[in-house]
């Protein structure tokens, strides 16, 4: 079974208002799920709008992350109060938690992304972390959300850093799916890979303009946020589980194992993983174009103010056995790194990361 997309998508300015009649037909007692204080105003608006529709609405926040502790707390709130849907309004962690909880309880999930940092509003997938943000596993859900509300007026309020992070994560779709899945003889997978190539090209053309430009009616901004929040999700939906992630996400998952005082966004870490994946392809698979791709990505990432080394993510890999820890987690049996079409050993990861961090290889 494959769930390609949310059942209904509202997009554009005031998509939230346009979605209200549909939402009120679907649910009488929703729980609004959020996390960070920064977006409380938007959730208050959502709450008041639903109250005005005479819905029995309540709200709850994740205390930590999309972690089992928070998930079980929120599940109990829903069961005790007989809520009949979850409206997940926030970033990727909130969307993933909302989808996962709704899937467990067999109630519909409505996703309302409040930034362009993620395509989690679209997909039938949740990533589970520890309370401290260490990646544990991803879980395939039975379906994509029932309704996705991609309201540009909400997304405009998000810090520009979230947009940069979303661009890096969406770019990874092409670099990961093309290396892992291009030999898979399945039309839909091939089409998903080609969509991710067009997505990459659009981001290379429009990404920096979107990041630096004025919001409002800036078409680069509009196309970029929809590329990150919608098209990236569509690629996952069409490609399904055969259209796989690879080293960029495997390295992201490993980097999250190191707990640091400053938290970095998913796409910010994936972007560094992407540069490292390309170095691995160059080193182990004789990919002659990898260096070109690194240079091209590096210029864009600098324009987007994105980190380009693990050190810039606040981690010194040469301290506290960090390099070993990252290499171990990257190469564990269930890691996506093994979807690469060439063998990767722990020593390869150690070598590529230490060279990269020491910048022995000039970019
Ligand atoms: Zn990702």
């Amino acid at each position: 079974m494959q769930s390609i997309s949310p059942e209904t998508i509202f997009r554009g300015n005031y998509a939230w208002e346009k979605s209200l009649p549909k939402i009120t037909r679907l649910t009488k007692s929703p729980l609004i799920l959020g996390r960070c204080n920064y977006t409380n105003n938007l959730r208050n608006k959502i709450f008041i709008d639903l109250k005005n529709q005479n819905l029995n609405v309540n709200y709850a926040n994740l205390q930590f992350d999309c972690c089992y502790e928070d998930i079980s707390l929120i599940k109990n709130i829903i069961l005790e109060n007989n809520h009949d849907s979850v409206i997940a309004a926030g970033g990727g962690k909130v969307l993933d938690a909302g989808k996962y909880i709704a899937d467990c309880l067999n109630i519909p999930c409505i996703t309302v992304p409040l930034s362009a940092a993620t395509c989690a509003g679209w997909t039938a997938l949740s990533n589970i972390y520890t309370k401290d943000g260490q990646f544990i596993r991803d879980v395939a859900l039975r379906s994509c959300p029932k309704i996705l509300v991609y309201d540009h007026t909400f997304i405009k309020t998000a810090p520009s850093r979230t947009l940069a992070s979303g661009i890096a994560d969406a770019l990874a779709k092409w670099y990961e799916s093309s290396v892992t899945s291009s030999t898979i003889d399945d039309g839909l997978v091939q089409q998903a890979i080609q969509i991710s190539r067009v997505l990459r090209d659009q981001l290379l053309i429009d990404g920096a303009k979107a990041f630096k430009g004025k919001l409002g009616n800036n078409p680069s901004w509009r196309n970029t946020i929809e590329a990150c929040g919608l098209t990236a999700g569509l690629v996952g939906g069409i490609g399904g589980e055969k259209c796989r992630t690879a080293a960029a996400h495997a390295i992201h998952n490993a980097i999250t194992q190191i707990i640091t005082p400053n938290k970095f966004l998913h796409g910010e870490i994936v972007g560094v993983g992407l540069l490292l994946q390309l170095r691995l392809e160059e080193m182990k698979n004789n990919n002659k174009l990898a260096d070109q791709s690194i240079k091209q990505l590096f210029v864009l990432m600098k324009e987007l103010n994105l980190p380009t080394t693990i050190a810039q993510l606040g981690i010194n890999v040469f301290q506290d056995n960090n390099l070993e820890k990252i290499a171990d987690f990257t190469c564990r049996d269930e890691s996506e790194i093994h979807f690469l079409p060439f063998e990767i050993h722990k020593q390869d990861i150690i070598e590529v990361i230490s060279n990269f961090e020491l910048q022995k290889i000039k970019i």
Side-chain angles (χ1 to χ4, degrees):
M1 203 190 75
Q2 190 171 348
S3 177
I4 292 178
S5 81
E7 218 169 275
T8 309
I9 297 160
F10 294 89
R11 52 188 271 249
N13 288 331
Y14 308 107
W16 167 248
E17 280 79 2
K18 288 174 201 152
S19 73
L20 278 171
K22 180 103 185 161
I23 291 175
T24 48
R25 279 197 300 277
L26 177 72
T27 175
K28 297 295 168 231
S29 178
L31 179 81
I32 302 169
L33 183 64
R35 184 167 72 150
C36 81
N37 290 333
Y38 187 81
T39 46
N40 267 345
N41 281 348
L42 291 175
R43 274 188 299 280
N44 278 340
K45 173 187 165 45
I46 290 171
F47 178 82
I48 291 163
D49 286 348
L50 293 173
K51 263 265 180 260
N52 288 339
Q53 302 285 325
N54 294 320
L55 298 190
N56 175 30
V57 56
N58 208 339
Y59 59 85
N61 275 354
L62 298 178
Q63 299 303 304
F64 304 102
D65 208 297
C66 181
C67 62
Y68 288 119
E69 291 82 353
D70 273 329
I71 285 167
S72 84
L73 271 173
I74 305 292
K75 266 192 202 167
N76 284 339
I77 294 173
I78 292 174
L79 291 171
E80 278 165 19
N81 298 285
N82 283 322
H83 289 297
D84 61 2
S85 72
V86 180
I87 299 181
K93 304 295 181 100
V94 168
L95 301 169
D96 274 7
K99 289 185 297 182
Y100 181 82
I101 293 164
D103 191 82
C104 292
L105 300 176
N106 216 3
I107 55 176
C109 183
I110 297 155
T111 48
V112 189
L114 300 183
S115 82
T118 178
C119 63
W122 183 294
T123 56
L125 197 73
S126 290
N127 288 332
I128 311 289
Y129 295 83
T130 66
K131 279 162 82 174
D132 297 314
Q134 297 164 296
F135 176 86
I136 301 177
R137 60 193 280 252
D138 52 38
V139 183
L141 307 174
R142 278 172 289 181
S143 68
C144 294
K146 190 86 173 164
I147 300 174
L148 162 59
V149 184
Y150 205 67
D151 191 323
H152 296 190
T153 54
F154 289 175
I155 290 166
K156 263 173 214 161
T157 65
S160 55
R161 179 181 170 189
T162 59
L163 177 62
S165 179
I167 293 171
D169 197 32
L171 281 168
K173 292 274 176 213
W174 159 254
Y175 295 96
E176 294 193 296
S177 67
S178 60
V179 70
T180 58
S181 310
S182 54
T183 57
I184 293 174
D185 186 15
D186 178 326
L188 283 186
V189 173
Q190 291 309 317
Q191 288 141 25
I193 295 170
Q194 290 315 311
I195 295 172
S196 74
R197 185 180 51 77
V198 177
L199 169 65
R200 176 205 61 178
D201 292 346
Q202 286 188 340
L203 293 174
L204 288 172
I205 293 166
D206 273 334
K209 270 189 248 168
F211 182 75
K212 290 175 184 162
K214 285 204 172 66
L215 306 182
N217 288 325
N218 172 356
S220 296
W221 181 82
R222 205 171 53 227
N223 290 339
T224 302
I225 61 151
E226 296 213 320
C228 299
L230 305 182
T231 318
L234 178 66
V235 170
I238 293 181
E241 60 182 15
K242 286 187 195 156
C243 195
R244 285 159 159 167
T245 53
H249 275 81
I251 293 169
H252 158 278
N253 297 341
I255 290 173
T256 66
Q257 302 307 309
I258 316 287
I259 298 171
T260 53
N262 296 322
K263 290 269 173 256
F264 283 83
L265 300 173
H266 173 84
E268 293 174 328
I269 307 172
V270 169
V272 174
L274 194 47
L275 298 176
L276 287 162
Q277 175 181 317
L278 286 162
R279 280 289 175 239
L280 274 176
E281 289 185 53
E282 187 179 43
M283 185 173 100
K284 299 285 292 183
N285 207 30
N286 201 21
N287 178 353
K288 304 254 192 307
L289 289 174
D291 191 54
Q292 284 290 97
S293 300
I294 289 176
K295 288 191 171 113
Q296 192 177 30
L297 284 176
F298 193 81
V299 171
L300 176 63
M301 288 168 74
K302 282 287 161 210
E303 284 186 293
L304 299 177
N305 242 339
L306 281 164
T308 52
T309 62
I310 298 178
Q312 288 170 15
L313 296 170
I315 297 168
N316 182 342
V317 295
F318 304 110
Q319 277 177 359
D320 305 327
N321 226 13
N322 285 338
L323 188 49
E324 284 278 314
K325 287 182 205 159
I326 291 171
D328 274 335
F329 200 89
T330 304
C331 295
R332 68 198 180 126
D333 286 347
E334 59 270 47
S335 169
E336 294 99 322
I337 197 96
H338 305 301
F339 295 147
L340 287 172
F342 45 92
E343 260 188 59
I344 289 287
H345 302 284
K346 191 177 153 187
Q347 199 49 43
D348 302 320
I349 300 294
I350 289 179
E351 193 183 324
V352 84
I353 291 181
S354 44
N355 283 342
F356 199 76
E357 293 297 300
L358 293 168
Q359 296 294 315
K360 270 191 203 161
I361 304 169
K362 283 275 168 281
I363 292 176

